[in-house]
Amino acid sequence: MTDARGIAALAQGYAQGSLDPVDVARRALDQARAPGMDSVFITLLEARALEEARASQARWREGRPLGPLDGVPLAWKDLFDMAGTVTTCASDTRRQAVPAATDAPAVRALAAAGMVSVGKTNLSEFAFSGLGINLHFGTPPNPHDAAVPRIPGGSSSGSAVAVARQVVPCAMGTDTSGSIRVPAALNGLVGWKPSSARYDQRGVFPLAPSLDSIGPLVQTVADACLIDDALLGRAPLLRASTERPAARLVIPSGTLMSELEPGVAAAFEDTAERLAKRGFIVERRAIPVLDLAHHLFATFGTLVGIEAAAVHRELLDDPAALARVDARIVQRLRLGQAIPAQNRQALRNNRPLLVAAMTAALAADEALLFPTVPMAAPPIAALAADPVWFAQCNARVLRNTMIGSYLDMPTLALPCGTDGAGLPAGMSLAMATGRDEALLALGLAVEHELAA
């Protein structure tokens, strides 16, 4: 439905009269109901979508669209409050929760830009896994292997698959340890994780409040920029993808480049070489703070585990409710709950120090370049059958992204080819906290050169 070029193609079609927002919304709803999509969407919002599409249709016909997002369909990870709907968090324990009274501010912001909300998407239960497997609502299969069901990545699994299958050109996700970036990488998409304070996160069910961020999964960096502007409540900025910003791409030796699957490593190295040939300065050097953060997790545990256990304290004290939660999620919550007080303090105390060290380690015009996930999407069956492999694989897919979250680094996850077997591989561009604008400009330039 949504041409792989993304949002720009829809806006052009609306402006030319060759596409109509109501027709596009109906097709999106039809595709969301198609066979095999029941594990992608938890709730469809047909009445809302058609009402919003009709309003957009009228604006386009009268020559007064709200902007390039007017009439563009999108989906929302089912952590975002939307008026009149239950925010399930893809957990059986929340099927009967009280419906939200109002839209989350992010929902209101994109509605104000004219976007059409089609539905709410599936995720890892409580957003607490990077794999996307869900015991209660099903697991959206990765669309890049028709023969073997593979993980979509998580936790924003349904959002990624909805975009990868071109039901919608944009779906909103959340990211605490990699939940936008991992599914973007495994589905060949662009994922945008901003600095955590960039957008209003009220009305979004938390996982780890000090680490949580929200952002889109889309087809292009240009689309991510449009969503960024709308979430900030400003008119679209004119960002020229052909104007290459002065920037140095730093491939960090050490943890982020270790234990890569050969196919992923080859795809990444090929892309880095292409960027160098296109005139980008690409260098390799050690960034000790990255390895220090990884060592901190191995020594003291994870901040996401600590905060998730605090968020779900009441659930952990309710045996009847806890029996309805996937045992693998319960185990992760219990591990976070068991982290000793001194370890918790060490993780909290060291965080601002390491964030500052990361800012000092990268010049204002430097960005890290590294594989988003060290592996391609593995089969679902083996993970579902083996809790040990589930835990090991979950830690592996989140390894690189979790470090960036702890350091509050804005990050763009970008496609970088396939692993040789046709499965997507991804790379990340990341800057020090607060350098979101510079990173989006760099992402546009990188995307432009790779497409040339």
Side-chain angles (χ1 to χ4, degrees):
M1 184 278 295
T2 62
D3 189 291
R5 291 173 295 172
I7 290 170
L10 284 177
Q12 182 179 19
Y14 294 155
Q16 295 174 345
S18 59
L19 291 175
D20 178 87
V22 175
D23 292 339
V24 168
R26 288 190 187 280
R27 285 197 295 271
L29 288 163
D30 287 343
Q31 284 186 274
R33 296 190 192 95
M37 296 299 292
D38 55 326
S39 62
V40 177
F41 283 87
I42 288 177
T43 303
L44 290 182
L45 306 169
E46 181 169 8
R48 175 173 181 151
L50 293 177
E51 180 182 355
E52 291 176 334
R54 291 186 186 105
S56 175
Q57 178 191 63
R59 290 191 293 268
W60 279 105
R61 287 179 176 176
E62 294 167 8
R64 53 177 187 85
L66 296 172
L69 295 176
D70 203 343
V72 173
L74 84 157
W76 296 88
K77 184 178 186 178
D78 201 4
L79 293 177
F80 289 83
D81 283 350
M82 301 186 76
T85 71
V86 173
T87 305
T88 69
C89 308
S91 175
D92 186 56
T93 63
R94 289 188 55 83
R95 289 183 191 268
Q96 306 304 319
V98 176
T102 59
D103 288 345
V107 177
R108 293 200 299 270
L110 296 191
M115 298 193 80
V116 175
S117 291
V118 170
K120 302 183 78 175
T121 55
N122 196 5
L123 58 143
S124 306
E125 187 171 11
F126 291 124
F128 203 19
S129 164
L131 304 180
I133 291 174
N134 189 293
L135 182 67
H136 310 293
F137 290 82
T139 300
N142 191 305
H144 292 275
D145 191 340
V148 178
R150 295 179 180 272
I151 65 165
S155 62
S156 305
S157 54
S159 290
V161 174
V163 177
R165 292 186 63 167
Q166 297 191 30
V167 178
V168 290
C170 170
M172 288 297 294
T174 65
D175 193 307
T176 305
S177 295
S179 290
I180 289 171
R181 293 160 288 164
V182 169
L186 299 187
N187 287 276
L189 302 173
V190 171
W192 166 233
K193 186 209 85 72
S195 301
S196 61
R198 188 165 179 82
Y199 309 135
D200 191 333
Q201 295 185 56
R202 290 174 298 164
V204 183
F205 197 98
L207 174 59
S210 77
L211 297 165
D212 291 344
S213 60
I214 64 174
L217 292 113
V218 286
Q219 298 282 4
T220 68
V221 177
D223 289 354
C225 290
L226 291 173
I227 299 298
D228 176 70
D229 292 332
L231 288 171
L232 293 173
R234 68 189 184 193
L237 296 180
L238 295 177
R239 299 179 176 93
S241 62
T242 55
E243 295 181 7
R244 182 185 304 162
R248 184 185 303 270
L249 306 181
V250 179
I251 299 175
S253 57
T255 300
L256 298 189
M257 294 299 297
S258 67
E259 299 179 358
L260 305 177
E261 283 188 353
V264 171
F268 174 80
E269 294 296 344
D270 177 69
T271 303
E273 183 178 351
R274 287 170 59 200
L275 289 171
K277 288 179 177 177
R278 297 294 298 181
F280 285 92
I281 299 172
V282 180
E283 72 170 46
R284 298 171 191 265
R285 72 171 190 256
I287 307 289
V289 65
L290 299 172
D291 299 318
L292 184 55
H294 182 66
H295 175 71
L296 201 68
F297 301 154
T299 304
F300 297 110
T302 66
L303 187 57
V304 63
I306 293 167
E307 294 192 9
V311 166
H312 293 287
R313 183 180 296 109
E314 291 185 9
L315 177 66
L316 288 167
D317 291 338
D318 185 342
L322 204 60
R324 297 164 58 192
V325 177
D326 186 336
R328 295 163 295 196
I329 304 300
V330 174
Q331 181 185 34
R332 296 195 71 206
L333 290 170
R334 291 293 191 201
L335 287 172
Q337 191 179 42
I339 293 174
Q342 63 269 27
N343 290 23
R344 300 180 188 195
Q345 202 60 43
L347 288 164
R348 292 190 175 111
N349 290 349
N350 278 288
R351 190 182 185 200
L353 302 177
L354 294 188
V355 169
M358 188 73 249
T359 300
L362 290 179
D365 63 348
E366 289 185 328
L368 297 181
L369 175 66
F370 58 92
T372 305
V373 181
M375 62 193 295
I380 293 171
L383 289 160
D386 185 349
V388 174
W389 171 228
F390 181 100
Q392 291 173 344
C393 186
N394 188 65
R396 190 175 180 193
V397 301
L398 292 171
R399 184 197 68 192
N400 288 3
T401 56
M402 182 177 288
I403 293 171
S405 292
Y406 186 75
L407 300 176
D408 195 28
M409 303 182 76
T411 307
L412 274 168
L414 305 171
C416 69
T418 65
D419 69 343
L423 297 175
M427 67 180 191
S428 283
L429 290 169
M431 283 185 163
T433 186
R435 295 176 184 167
D436 301 65
E437 295 287 348
L439 181 60
L440 288 170
L442 175 61
L444 283 172
V446 167
E447 183 176 71
H448 175 77
E449 294 297 340
L450 290 177

